[in-house]
Amino acid sequence: MDQIRRGKKVGEVEPILAHLFRDRQNGRTWYVRRFRPGGNRLDGVHVTQQDAQGRILKKWYATTAYYIPEKNVWRLDRGMIVSFTPEGDMIDAEVDHFSGGSRIVKDWSETPWRVASSELNPSFLSVPELRDYLKFNYDFPAVQLAPYRANLADRYALPFQCIIAVMIGAPLGIVFNRRGVMGGVAGAITLLVLMLMSHSFFLMLGKGMRLNPNFSPWIPNIGLGFIGVLLLWYRSTNRDFPKFTFSRR
């Protein structure tokens, strides 16, 4: 609705401005003036290459940078390459201007998705994308990685809620009179609402590092799964469900 009010196309991705990305594995720092997630074009690119000690070895400047996925290479247009000595002095002879053309860079492993990954919402990423983010950014602080770990664990825990819903609903649906039907339906709805609320609650605890993000999404499944097994045991042994009262007669 907000995009429609602003005259945008529905689903159009907003561009990211002044984005900074640090590739710690390869020692490269990317600054991108503007780019649109999902595309292969980056505008106003400045890439700095450092060695293991953090000394700047080379800088790439380009008005635009295109990623060619078929060849896994980058094409830098209208820019220059500057090399530096280990002491940080610029080597004039190593200044390569290509303002009228372009340069192909073949040894960069970064992709536009990886460059934009630090701006992506973990709730909207798929399982392969979450795995890639954790793989390439493993050295980020644990607090920064917690939302991605929690969402990845949630992707695996969420399908089991369907099984737990059956385990809870089936024994409560087996009744022998009309009055029991109403009580079973009410009990099933209550437990399923509790499942949905606890799912969001424990997921947020994992994202905030209040609990282990790899384990917190499984806590509602474990607790309600135990209740489901208990209900199935009561029904399979033809026992009445326990009744909880808050007052004594």
Side-chain angles (χ1 to χ4, degrees):
M1 293 178 64
D2 181 63
Q3 288 178 329
I4 293 174
R5 283 195 295 266
R6 291 185 294 158
K8 300 287 186 179
K9 294 181 180 180
V10 177
E12 182 178 351
V13 180
E14 295 291 336
I16 297 176
L17 305 178
H19 177 65
L20 189 66
F21 170 73
R22 171 66 174 167
D23 183 358
R24 290 171 174 79
Q25 290 183 340
N26 297 306
R28 281 188 290 272
T29 301
W30 290 63
Y31 172 80
V32 183
R33 179 177 58 82
R34 182 181 184 276
F35 73 102
R36 196 177 299 275
N40 292 327
R41 171 176 170 169
L42 284 62
D43 295 327
V45 177
H46 175 190
V47 181
T48 301
Q49 178 69 62
Q50 295 173 281
D51 61 12
Q53 288 73 37
R55 294 174 296 193
I56 297 177
L57 302 178
K58 189 174 291 188
K59 290 185 179 182
W60 289 264
Y61 301 89
T63 304
T64 56
Y66 291 91
Y67 178 70
I68 306 174
E70 296 81 10
K71 300 181 180 180
N72 194 27
V73 299
W74 285 89
R75 192 189 77 204
L76 307 181
D77 295 337
R78 299 188 304 278
M80 66 178 182
I81 304 173
V82 183
S83 298
F84 296 86
T85 65
E87 292 74 23
D89 298 325
M90 184 177 68
I91 304 176
D92 295 335
E94 295 294 331
V95 178
D96 184 3
H97 294 272
F98 50 96
S99 56
S102 61
R103 288 291 184 274
I104 298 296
V105 181
K106 300 181 179 180
D107 56 349
W108 288 352
S109 61
E110 295 90 337
T111 63
W113 180 89
R114 187 180 174 194
V115 173
S117 62
S118 60
E119 292 288 333
L120 299 177
N121 188 333
S123 301
F124 302 140
L125 299 181
S126 64
V127 170
E129 289 172 339
L130 288 168
R131 286 177 175 172
D132 287 343
Y133 183 92
L134 294 173
K135 174 183 176 181
F136 292 124
N137 303 308
Y138 68 93
D139 54 346
F140 280 6
V143 174
Q144 186 173 344
L145 294 177
Y148 297 88
R149 287 175 175 158
N151 275 277
L152 180 60
D154 181 58
R155 297 294 193 275
Y156 294 109
L158 193 59
F160 287 92
Q161 290 188 6
C162 301
I163 301 175
I164 296 173
V166 174
M167 294 172 60
I168 292 174
L172 292 175
I174 302 174
V175 295
F176 305 102
N177 53 60
R178 185 176 298 177
R179 183 177 180 182
V181 170
M182 297 304 297
V185 170
I189 292 176
T190 301
L191 290 174
L192 292 178
V193 170
L194 177 63
M195 175 190 297
L196 295 176
M197 294 178 61
S198 61
H199 167 259
S200 300
F201 176 71
F202 282 99
L203 179 61
M204 294 304 296
L205 289 179
K207 288 182 177 181
M209 282 291 291
R210 302 298 181 181
L211 293 174
N212 188 326
N214 297 316
F215 176 70
S216 61
W218 291 93
I219 295 177
N221 289 1
I222 295 173
L224 292 170
F226 175 78
I227 295 176
V229 171
L230 188 62
L231 292 176
L232 285 172
W233 179 76
Y234 271 103
R235 186 55 69 196
S236 63
T237 56
N238 201 25
R239 298 171 182 263
D240 292 332
F241 296 136
K243 297 179 180 180
F244 300 96
T245 58
F246 298 97
S247 62
R248 294 182 179 180
R249 295 183 179 178

